Amino acid sequence: MKAGLFSSRLQSQSVEQRLQALDSLKPNDPGNHPVLQKLIAEDTEPAVRKAALAKLGEPELLLHFCLTHADPQTRRDAESALADVLRDNSALSKEQVRTLLSNKPDFAQPIAKYCFHAALRAETALALSEAEQASIIADVDYIDTRHLIAEQLVSEQQLQHARNLLKGKDKNAEKIIRNKLDLLHAEQKQQLENKQAAELICSKMEHLASHEWRHESRAQYSVWCQRWAALDFAPDDEVVKRYGKAEAVVADIIERESLIETVHQQQENLASMLGQNCAELANLSKKQLLDQQPLLSQTLDGARQQWDSLIETDSAEPAVAAQFARAAEALTSVLEFCSGIAEDSAHQVNVLESSLATLQWPESYPALLAKQQIQSEIEELKAESRRAKQDAARKLDKLHKRINRLLGSTKRGDLKRAKRELAAVNKAAQRYSGKDKKALDERLVQASEAVDKMSDWVDFATEPKFLELCEAMESLIGSKLHADKLAARIGELQKSWKALGHSESADQHWERFKTAGDKAYAPCERFFQERQELRKNNLANREPLVRQMRELLEGTAWEESPDYR
């Protein structure tokens, strides 16, 4: 009857009676759970539902209503009732709370907010997601857990959300979050500045890669490369890729420009070198210039080959090209000039004058010393030519006088001298031509006829003497004289033959005289050969003795009192 009465009171239309009936119930009595669940789920009065939740005391049922009840206020009342259970040190042990969490993961947030057990509360809070931590921080009952959650938050969104929820509730937790937000904003600002710095360097490099190259571009490239290398952060991959692409393009441009600058510098050096060569040539004498001709030719050929190779890379500056062309043309002209002045010609004056006429030497270069010398040489050659003509006339007159003397000597009977003079004047006459040669030939015919007549007379007078010499030489064949005396006698007969001079008689009997001399000398030749062999053998026999003596000399320690015996 009492249970029925109680049930009727809970179903009463009066809110006061339903509240009084609930107030009389024992809290946390499992036997009352069905009635209390029904009231919480179906009663229309919020106060009745709240009172039923306070009497329920079952964590799992309270969590159920927290999550599922249709009325928002009832859900909040259910969470408040669940919080009271979790706060109560005597209601649930640490193990019971762990069991609830293990069976129902939805207990995680309530445990993190309200659980009396600090270690378990902290453990559960740390297991929540960042968004869950931020959403519950203001509802957490415990300062240490609020600070723990504040320390765990990292994203700007969740930090800002937690800060908004905490306003006025926990200054220390707010300070932690504010400091983290300030640090995050500073990092974001730094990241933005880093991004802008990397983007600036990248855009500058891209500008260099896509615009016309200027002299100052190289310095700009070096600056931006140094700034990029000095970055103490890692830029975005896209910016790194863009920078690398632009830097490679600029590096190629710089390499090309460096090559062109090097080529231009080499072209300037080459033109300057040839110009310097021309300036040095101006002070060379004719002999020095001719001595330098092979080297000049080699230098010019090498310079032209190098110049042609350089302009394949890039054309020279107009002023440099003009300087090189002027110097090369001047050197070419000097080489041609050298070839002309080096030529040894009968018309040397004409050759030298022609060489001077063709010489192209720029007025901008110092005057050629060799040119002045050639001009002086031309004047000297002309004067020498005049003197040569005068001298030739004197020599021709002198030759005619020699022919006169030759004719006189034939009359005096000096055949030897006459023949010698005839040969000399014939040789001298070969140097002449034209009418001078014709006049000389006519006179030489007369002289030759006179010498021939004189020769006939001499042959008649000397032939007996040649015969005597032949007989004397033949008498020496088989002679018993000593080889040295025999050789001396043969030499005397040969000198006597020679003293008679050349004549037809001499030619006629010469073979007889020579044959007799060879036969008479044969024993002498054998004797001299044998004597020579003996001398060689004696010399060979002396060599070992000399060698022994040298070894004794070199091998004896003379400073140590040797045995001289």
Side-chain angles (χ1 to χ4, degrees):
M1 181 176 179
K2 182 177 180 181
L5 178 61
F6 176 73
S7 177
S8 63
R9 292 174 64 193
L10 289 175
Q11 296 176 1
S12 173
Q13 295 295 322
S14 171
V15 175
E16 292 295 331
Q17 288 186 4
R18 295 200 300 277
L19 290 173
Q20 290 175 2
L22 286 172
D23 188 54
S24 65
L25 291 178
K26 184 179 179 180
N28 303 326
D29 186 353
N32 296 328
H33 287 178
V35 176
L36 294 174
Q37 290 183 73
K38 184 173 177 64
L39 285 174
I40 295 170
E42 298 177 359
D43 198 287
T44 57
E45 179 57 40
V48 174
R49 294 195 298 271
K50 182 176 181 180
L53 288 167
K55 292 294 182 178
L56 186 59
E58 174 57 44
E60 291 189 11
L61 294 176
L62 291 172
L63 178 64
H64 172 73
F65 288 117
C66 284
L67 299 175
T68 63
H69 202 282
D71 180 51
Q73 183 57 49
T74 301
R75 292 198 299 272
R76 288 192 291 272
D77 292 339
E79 182 174 356
S80 178
L82 177 60
D84 290 340
V85 175
L86 293 173
R87 291 188 191 105
D88 188 354
N89 182 30
S90 61
L92 296 171
S93 67
K94 186 183 296 185
E95 289 72 19
Q96 288 174 322
V97 176
R98 285 188 182 278
T99 301
L100 287 174
L101 181 60
S102 175
N103 293 333
K104 293 282 187 180
D106 291 336
F107 269 110
Q109 289 192 22
I111 291 172
K113 290 190 287 185
Y114 311 119
C115 181
F116 173 79
H117 304 289
L120 183 59
R121 183 175 65 246
E123 178 185 334
T124 306
L126 292 174
L128 294 175
S129 68
E130 187 181 29
E132 290 174 325
Q133 291 173 345
S135 65
I136 69 169
I137 190 170
D139 298 327
V140 173
D141 286 347
Y142 304 95
I143 293 174
D144 59 340
T145 304
R146 288 197 297 269
H147 292 181
L148 176 65
I149 292 175
E151 293 288 353
Q152 296 303 308
L153 298 178
V154 292
S155 69
E156 181 182 12
Q157 179 182 356
Q158 301 306 331
L159 285 168
Q160 190 62 51
H161 180 52
R163 184 181 184 185
N164 293 336
L165 294 175
L166 275 173
K167 282 184 178 179
K169 295 180 180 179
D170 189 332
K171 292 184 179 180
N172 290 329
E174 279 189 84
K175 183 178 180 181
I176 292 172
I177 292 174
R178 183 173 64 253
N179 291 340
K180 295 185 76 171
L181 280 172
D182 291 343
L183 180 61
L184 184 62
H185 290 158
E187 291 177 351
Q188 290 174 343
K189 180 180 179 182
Q190 185 62 51
Q191 290 174 357
L192 179 60
E193 291 176 354
N194 291 345
K195 183 177 180 180
Q196 291 173 343
E199 179 62 32
L200 173 64
I201 298 173
C202 182
S203 62
K204 293 295 185 180
M205 191 62 72
E206 289 175 333
H207 178 82
L208 290 176
S210 60
H211 286 70
E212 182 180 357
W213 189 259
R214 298 179 179 177
H215 292 296
E216 62 270 17
S217 299
R218 187 193 300 274
Q220 294 174 359
Y221 168 77
S222 178
V223 168
W224 298 124
C225 282
Q226 292 174 6
R227 290 192 182 182
W228 181 268
L231 293 178
D232 56 356
F233 60 90
D236 294 342
D237 292 342
E238 180 186 357
V239 176
V240 171
K241 185 177 181 180
R242 285 169 50 206
Y243 174 84
K245 182 178 179 181
E247 192 276 335
V249 172
V250 179
D252 288 342
I253 295 174
I254 287 180
E255 183 178 0
R256 170 66 180 171
E257 290 298 320
S258 297
L259 176 61
I260 291 176
E261 288 179 6
T262 301
V263 166
H264 285 176
Q265 185 61 52
Q266 290 176 343
Q267 289 169 342
E268 290 181 14
N269 294 342
L270 202 56
S272 178
M273 180 198 74
L274 285 189
Q276 182 63 31
N277 286 342
C278 290
E280 292 172 356
L281 291 180
N283 298 320
L284 298 183
S285 65
K286 173 188 172 183
K287 181 180 182 306
Q288 291 172 329
L289 192 61
L290 291 174
D291 291 342
Q292 290 290 318
Q293 183 180 4
L295 180 59
L296 283 178
S297 179
Q298 183 179 357
T299 300
L300 181 58
D301 290 343
R304 280 176 169 161
Q305 291 177 4
Q306 188 178 355
W307 182 268
D308 292 340
S309 175
L310 291 174
I311 61 175
E312 288 180 1
T313 301
D314 194 56
S315 57
E317 296 292 334
V320 176
Q323 181 185 3
F324 178 84
R326 181 171 63 252
E329 290 171 1
L331 286 177
T332 301
S333 180
V334 166
L335 289 172
E336 294 174 353
F337 176 68
C338 287
S339 299
I341 64 177
E343 182 179 346
D344 189 8
S345 170
H347 305 287
Q348 187 69 14
V349 173
N350 295 336
V351 172
L352 293 178
E353 288 179 338
S354 176
S355 298
L356 282 178
T358 57
L359 177 63
Q360 301 295 323
W361 186 254
E363 294 182 357
S364 57
Y365 293 155
L368 274 177
L369 174 61
K371 179 180 178 181
Q372 300 172 2
Q373 291 180 339
I374 293 300
Q375 290 172 335
S376 299
E377 187 175 337
I378 290 173
E379 295 300 324
E380 199 173 308
L381 286 173
K382 288 181 178 180
E384 185 178 344
S385 177
R386 291 191 295 269
R387 290 193 297 270
K389 289 179 180 179
Q390 295 172 355
D391 186 55
R394 286 194 299 271
K395 287 181 178 181
L396 180 60
D397 183 63
K398 186 176 179 180
L399 184 56
H400 278 289
K401 290 179 179 179
R402 287 186 68 180
I403 295 174
N404 292 337
R405 287 195 299 271
L406 171 59
L407 292 172
S409 66
T410 58
K411 294 178 181 179
R412 293 189 297 270
D414 191 349
L415 178 62
K416 186 175 181 180
R417 181 175 180 181
K419 285 185 175 182
R420 188 169 58 248
E421 277 296 307
L422 179 62
V425 294
N426 268 307
K427 183 177 180 181
Q430 299 304 315
R431 297 194 295 265
Y432 293 91
S433 60
K435 61 181 182 179
D436 292 336
K437 182 68 164 57
K438 185 178 179 181
L440 288 171
D441 288 343
E442 290 176 355
R443 300 202 64 200
L444 287 172
V445 169
Q446 296 176 2
S448 295
E449 291 176 353
V451 170
D452 289 341
K453 290 179 180 180
M454 184 179 180
S455 178
D456 292 340
W457 181 86
V458 170
D459 283 341
F460 175 76
T462 59
E463 185 174 9
K465 295 180 181 180
F466 285 123
L467 290 173
E468 289 178 5
L469 290 174
C470 287
E471 292 172 357
M473 186 64 78
E474 288 171 346
S475 68
L476 294 177
I477 298 175
S479 174
K480 301 301 181 179
L481 290 174
H482 188 275
D484 290 333
K485 292 183 178 181
L486 180 59
R489 178 57 181 158
I490 293 172
E492 292 173 359
L493 294 176
Q494 290 173 339
K495 289 180 181 179
S496 298
W497 182 282
K498 188 175 181 181
L500 293 175
H502 180 266
S503 64
E504 290 184 4
S505 294
D507 292 339
Q508 181 181 355
H509 301 290
W510 168 248
E511 190 62 31
R512 176 184 173 187
F513 180 78
K514 184 178 183 306
T515 301
D518 292 341
K519 290 180 180 181
Y521 188 75
C524 299
E525 185 174 8
R526 286 192 299 270
F527 174 80
F528 293 145
Q529 287 179 350
E530 291 172 358
R531 186 164 62 183
Q532 182 65 23
E533 287 297 324
L534 179 61
R535 289 175 177 174
K536 292 171 73 175
N537 291 334
N538 290 339
L539 179 61
N541 293 331
R542 290 191 188 98
E543 281 297 325
L545 300 176
V546 173
R547 186 165 54 252
Q548 292 177 20
M549 187 66 71
R550 184 179 296 111
E551 291 174 354
L552 182 63
L553 173 66
E554 296 175 353
T556 300
W558 299 102
E559 69 279 2
E560 297 179 2
S561 302
D563 185 358
Y564 289 101
R565 290 179 297 175

